[in-house]
Structure formats: structure tokens, C-alpha cells
Amino acid sequence: AKEAGRNRYQFYSADMTARAIERLGLEHDLRGAVERAEMFLVYQPQIELATEGIIGAEVLMRWRHPEHGLISPCRFIPVAEDTGLILTLGEWALRESCRQAQSWRERGLLEACISVNVSAVQFRQTDFIDVVKRALKESGLLPGCLELELTESVVMQGVEPTLAKLRELDALGVKVAIDDFGTGYSSLSYLRQFTVDRLKIDRSFVRDLPGNIDAEAIASAIVAMGLNLGLRIIAEGVETQAQAEFLQSVFCKEGQGYLYAWPMDADEFETWVKAWQS
Ligand code: C2E
Ligand code: CA
Ligand code: CA
Ligand code: CA
């Protein structure tokens, strides 16, 4: 037993070292990744469940590493946040998303909004609103065609700079969605003081629908209370027809997930949209 314990310890510490080294490597490689054109954006359609019409698209970041290939944002976003590199990456993603959305609008391909993920680190910057304004101005995209996805923890801090920024976005006409909703500790009544437009029910609740009583109760409670507050509700991670049907039965009208489409690069997205609409 002692022997096994020692081996386990050695394995564990070697693993930790490997991870620390990997992280340093990622951090190093992430610098300049935008300039080297290693980053790109993918787009996942958002669907009106009843009609299966396209009502939006979420923009997700991808990193094609020259040696390691595609690296998941779950791995590089935390590194980017810790190092502040998220500011450059996030601004690039916002500007590129607005440019792409406006180009699709001008060509009559997509009327719908695009939803861009914004990290807490980015949102907390004092010049965040200026960054948004600049992206809109240089692209010519109407503010109402842009939605920002903020996580529950960012919004629910409820501190004055946050509230002021949410009010400014509202005044601009930019939409705000609360991402991963249900995973934080917020009370829904608290939501009333925020000028948000939409809630995204986290995938962890959608995954166990239908059949899991707890997941069903949570999903339907979020929808009912959200609707009462006048918010739109979208479910993320919709993978099956049964999930889509359950969501509709509790009056959730919007969904996003592999049942409809994977996130696609801009060219694939265009092709998908044309095929979906014909
Ligand atoms: P998220 O914002 O919750 O994004 C949803 C994630 O679910 C995406 O993973 C998407 O590809 C995945 N997904 C979509 N449909 C399904 C489905 O039906 N089933 C399952 N199992 N998964 C589905 P992805 O692209 O790997 O992104 C992971 C996370 O990384 C995002 O979670 C977000 O927190 C972060 N992220 C991605 N792009 C950006 C970005 O541009 N900026 C920031 N700040 N964060 C980003
Ligand atoms: Ca999101
Ligand atoms: Ca989400
Ligand atoms: Ca999520």
C-alpha cells in the first residue's frame, strides 16, 4: 500500500509539472496568435424551436495552433484571462464578429443578431463601452444586431460600475444575455434591477431533459420566472428532439445545439444558412 501511495504521489506531481509547463507554453504561444492569424471564429445558429427559423448566431473563438492543432477555448480562455491577453483577443473577436455580421446583412444572408461572448476581465475594463462603440462604428452594424453574452457571476456582482455599463449598453441599443444561467447563486428577483434581454439556460440542465425531475423543474422554473420578468429565454446544448419538445412544452421558445448545427466557420455557416432556408 505504501508503495502504491508513493507511486501515486509521483504520478500526481509529474502530472502537475506537466500541466504547469503546458500552461506556460500556451501562454507564450498565445501572444501574437491573432497577428499570426491562428485565431478564427465559428458561428452556431440559434433557432426558434416552433418554426426552426434562424433567430441568431453565437460566435465562438477557435485557436489553430501551428503544432498542436485545434485548442479548445476551455483551455486557452482561462490562460488568456489570467494573463490579460483576453483583452486583445476579446476586442479582436468583437470587431471581427461585427464586421462579419454586417457583411452578411449587406448580402441579405442573415438578418438575425450575433451574440458575442464577453469575459469578466474584458467587461470590467473602464474603456469596455468604447471598445463596443468602436466595433459598431467601424463595421456599420446596427447596435440592435449585437448581443453580448455575460456570465451570471459578472452581472450579479451588482456593483455600480457593472450597473452603469449595463445601462450604457441598454442606452446604445446593444442587447445583453446572461450566459450559463442557473449555475450561479443569483435570485431571479434580483434580476429585475438589471437591463438584460435574454437568459441562456445552461447546458447542464438541458442535458438531463426530459425525464430527470430536477432538471425538468429547474428548466421550467427558469423559463417561467424569466418570462414573467419580460425576458427572452434560450436553451443551450439542445441535442435531441425530445429536449426541444420538452422545452417547448414549458414555453421556452428558443434553442441552440447540435440538434440543429455545430459551430461552423464563416464559409460553412453561409452554406448552412442557404441550405437551411431552402
Ligand atoms: P459557452 O459560452 O457556454 O458556449 C457554449 C459551448 O457549448 C461551446 O463550446 C459550443 O461549441 C458548445 N455546444 C454548442 N452546442 C452544443 C451541444 O448541443 N452539445 C454540447 N455538448 N455542446 C454544445 P466551445 O466553443 O468549446 O466554448 C467553450 C467555452 O469557451 C464557451 O462556453 C465560453 O465560455 C468560452 N468561449 C468561447 N469563445 C469565446 C470568446 O470568444 N470569448 C470568451 N470570453 N469566451 C469564449
Ligand atoms: Ca456563450
Ligand atoms: Ca453558455
Ligand atoms: Ca455553458
Side-chain angles (χ1 to χ4, degrees), residues 66-248:
E67 290 149 46
H68 308 307
L70 269 189
I71 299 181
S72 163
C74 299
R75 280 174 66 202
F76 71 78
I77 295 283
V79 176
E81 288 177 332
D82 289 351
T83 54
L85 287 167
I86 192 69
L87 299 178
T88 324
L89 287 179
E91 180 167 357
W92 167 77
L94 188 63
R95 295 170 67 183
E96 177 60 17
S97 304
C98 290
R99 189 201 60 75
Q100 184 61 262
Q102 180 62 8
S103 147
W104 282 332
R105 288 180 71 78
E106 282 167 3
R107 286 183 292 139
L109 194 93
L110 191 74
E111 303 253 304
C113 256
I114 47 150
S115 302
V116 180
N117 290 286
V118 173
S119 146
V121 178
Q122 237 181 312
F123 186 73
R124 275 194 223 112
Q125 291 293 301
T126 46
D127 70 342
F128 177 70
I129 300 293
D130 294 328
V131 170
V132 174
K133 282 184 185 163
R134 232 180 295 139
L136 289 170
K137 194 168 174 213
E138 74 179 14
S139 63
L141 187 70
L142 291 170
C145 299
L146 175 65
E147 180 178 70
L148 303 177
E149 294 194 3
L150 300 169
T151 57
E152 199 175 349
S153 55
V154 176
V155 179
M156 295 303 155
Q157 280 172 347
V159 292
E160 190 43 45
T162 304
L163 297 176
K165 281 186 193 124
L166 290 173
R167 281 193 298 266
E168 272 194 84
L169 289 172
D170 188 46
L172 274 175
V174 171
K175 305 274 185 279
V176 170
I178 304 188
D179 209 352
D180 300 336
F181 194 79
T183 57
Y185 298 95
S186 51
S187 75
L188 274 158
S189 61
Y190 201 47
L191 264 181
R192 286 169 57 185
Q193 62 177 309
F194 303 113
T195 49
V196 302
D197 304 277
R198 184 148 78 148
L199 304 180
K200 287 194 98 169
I201 305 177
D202 192 63
R203 190 168 73 223
S204 58
F205 304 114
V206 177
R207 191 183 50 217
D208 298 331
L209 298 176
N212 180 303
I213 307 286
D214 293 338
E216 288 186 357
I218 292 166
S220 61
I222 292 173
V223 179
M225 289 188 272
L227 289 178
N228 255 314
L229 292 168
L231 303 173
R232 292 167 62 194
I233 324 286
I234 184 164
E236 66 174 21
V238 180
E239 295 183 358
T240 69
Q241 199 61 51
Q243 288 168 343
E245 279 162 20
F246 177 86
L247 287 162
Q248 285 185 84

Side-chain angles (χ1 to χ4, degrees), residues 257-278:
Y258 300 159
L259 175 62
Y260 304 103
W262 299 73
M264 295 165 279
D265 71 27
D267 288 344
E268 293 168 328
F269 183 81
E270 279 191 33
T271 309
W272 182 89
V273 169
K274 287 176 197 151
W276 190 261
Q277 286 171 342
S278 67

